[in-house]
Amino acid sequence: MATNESNPPQPLMRRRGGRANTARPPDGRATTLYDMAIVAGIVAIVTGIVLATLFVARGGLDANAAQTGGPAAGQLAQAPTADEGRGIPHEPFKAVDPHLPAVPDGAVKHFEVDVYEHVTKVSDDLAPLQVWSYSVNGVEHRGTGASAPLVVNLGDDVRIDLLNGSTSKMHVAFPHSIDFHSAEVAPNKAFVTISPGEKHTLRFKAKHPGVFMYHCATEPVLLHTGAGMVGVMIVKPRNLAPVDHELWITQQEFYFGPEPGGMPDQFKMEAKEPDVIAFNGYARQYAKAPITVGRGERVRMYVLNAGPSIWSAFHVIGTVFDKTVIEGVVGHHAQTINLAPSQGGWVEFTLDQEGSYPFVTHAFADMVKGAAGVLRTEHAGGPGE
Ligand SMILES: [Cu+2]
């Protein structure tokens, strides 16, 4: 949460004071000419100080504005609570299915990616918020801030049709774009910004396996990604060993403005002060409704840290990752994976005893903002968390 401390604003400049050095004439008598010279000197000094003060103050103001564009840290808007957001129309929460979708049929993997601007909650505790999201082949995760995943196999030819609001129910008011980290293409041609209602097609070959970010690249890119326009594209390697469960988890930040149901707060984005950090677009959704797996079954979780700005330390409590494949690096015997914003990978593990196994970012100050869920075995018994 943003702090509520009312710190006094920092002075823009260090004040310079002191008296001008008004030396007396050597003989103690002030001549008119000498007095005029002293007065002129004082005027010059005072003018200089005033001009310097204005210059420093102006420079300080400009530097301050350029640095933060808004209020100082500690003076950011407080996120409106759920109570304060009562009566604001918003989409009802619907849990995001964390099971990995199948690779589409066809020689060319064709995805219709649509943009929608919507008002949804992303946390039980806070008011609704305006979020910008992507749907994929008609799959929308309304009621959350999640965008749908895309899954292909290594070597697949991919065709993306980006629609910036295909119909009026997408409520798109802004220009948007899409940037695929999995693609090797000229970004100035492939990741172009299009106006509301427009369509843009891009094609590429998925030449690298991994868990890749996609996002809006329209300026200001921090606002567009911080408003929700992030998602995951998974490129499966050939000969990936079968497992019992394949799950996708995307860590994502949300930044509330002061108005319930209003726009997210770009100042908070610049200050890296998210109000909510969620898995798959809604704080603690899988803590409230755990993901069920069987004891001893092999689980593969594809994890993306979509940021836009906070690191992830993904960890499953009560197990050790037998295998990790993070940004092309294969590891074993790992407790936590370290994901910079935009990085991803997959982890494989089993839950060896019946029970509930929380998964978190082990950066606990981020976890308490909502980045926590639970894997629960079929015969866990006992409390869910
Ligand atoms: Cu955008």
Side-chain angles (χ1 to χ4, degrees):
M1 297 290 167
T3 61
N4 226 358
E5 294 165 0
S6 53
N7 296 328
Q10 294 298 306
L12 295 173
M13 54 161 289
R14 187 187 299 277
R15 289 203 181 277
R16 286 184 283 182
R19 290 178 301 150
N21 184 12
T22 53
R24 303 298 298 170
D27 63 358
R29 290 185 303 129
T31 65
T32 304
L33 195 62
Y34 198 88
D35 282 345
M36 285 174 66
I38 288 173
V39 169
I42 291 171
V43 168
I45 289 167
V46 169
T47 304
I49 289 172
V50 168
L51 288 174
T53 302
L54 287 171
F55 180 79
V56 171
R58 175 85 188 274
L61 279 171
D62 287 349
N64 191 52
Q67 192 178 14
T68 68
Q75 297 176 325
L76 297 165
Q78 183 80 355
T81 63
D83 276 348
E84 290 165 340
R86 246 177 250 294
I88 301 289
H90 64 278
E91 297 159 351
F93 168 72
K94 188 165 179 291
V96 174
D97 184 355
H99 296 92
L100 197 72
V103 175
D105 293 333
V108 175
K109 306 309 176 191
H110 180 207
F111 297 95
E112 218 169 64
V113 180
D114 207 340
V115 177
Y116 56 111
E117 297 174 4
H118 56 133
V119 177
T120 179
K121 293 186 71 161
V122 295
S123 164
D124 285 352
D125 301 332
L126 297 177
L129 167 77
Q130 188 175 146
V131 177
W132 303 343
S133 304
Y134 295 100
S135 71
V136 175
N137 288 341
V139 176
E140 297 176 351
H141 291 300
R142 290 185 186 268
T144 78
S147 289
L150 294 80
V151 187
V152 302
N153 289 315
L154 179 63
D156 279 346
D157 291 312
V158 179
R159 173 182 163 167
I160 307 286
D161 287 323
L162 173 68
L163 302 128
N164 189 15
S166 60
T167 66
S168 59
K169 82 179 178 73
M170 308 310 259
H171 289 116
V172 170
F174 292 89
H176 294 296
S177 58
I178 197 163
D179 169 331
F180 283 94
H181 290 194
S182 50
E184 293 179 295
V185 291
N188 61 318
K189 295 172 187 159
F191 305 153
V192 294
T193 293
I194 56 174
S195 297
E198 286 189 343
K199 179 179 163 181
H200 170 68
T201 297
L202 61 144
R203 294 179 174 83
F204 60 93
K205 185 180 277 287
K207 292 194 280 191
H208 301 277
V211 176
F212 293 94
M213 185 172 177
Y214 71 80
H215 64 91
C216 184
T218 301
E219 293 292 348
V221 69
L222 176 61
L223 173 64
H224 284 250
T225 54
M229 302 191 79
V230 298
V232 64
M233 177 168 183
I234 291 157
V235 182
K236 290 181 156 189
R238 294 192 181 90
N239 306 317
L240 194 57
V243 291
D244 299 299
H245 300 276
E246 287 194 304
L247 306 169
W248 66 280
I249 295 290
T250 294
Q251 181 174 318
Q252 181 183 0
E253 301 139 30
F254 295 94
Y255 300 81
F256 283 66
E259 293 301 318
M263 282 281 287
D265 191 324
Q266 193 173 348
F267 298 143
K268 281 185 182 170
M269 297 175 196
E270 291 171 359
K272 299 186 189 176
E273 296 249 17
D275 299 291
V276 167
I277 303 179
F279 290 142
N280 292 358
Y282 200 95
R284 296 177 56 78
Q285 64 176 312
Y286 305 124
K288 290 188 298 176
I291 302 166
T292 303
V293 301
R295 179 176 70 84
E297 289 180 337
R298 182 151 288 274
V299 180
R300 180 180 294 130
M301 286 180 114
Y302 297 87
V303 185
L304 174 78
N305 178 20
S309 296
I310 306 295
W311 261 245
S312 178
F314 187 78
H315 171 72
V316 179
I317 298 170
T319 192
V320 175
F321 302 141
D322 300 311
K323 184 177 181 183
T324 62
V325 181
I326 309 299
E327 297 288 317
V329 178
V330 179
H332 297 281
H333 317 301
Q335 60 194 303
T336 297
I337 57 168
N338 179 18
L339 299 174
S342 84
Q343 288 190 319
W346 62 86
V347 296
E348 295 178 8
F349 57 91
T350 55
L351 306 181
D352 291 352
Q353 299 178 349
E354 297 287 355
S356 295
Y357 295 73
F359 58 92
V360 298
T361 174
H362 216 285
F364 283 154
D366 298 333
M367 178 197 73
V368 298
K369 293 181 175 180
V374 174
L375 291 156
R376 200 157 186 265
T377 60
E378 286 164 336
H379 309 289
E385 290 182 50

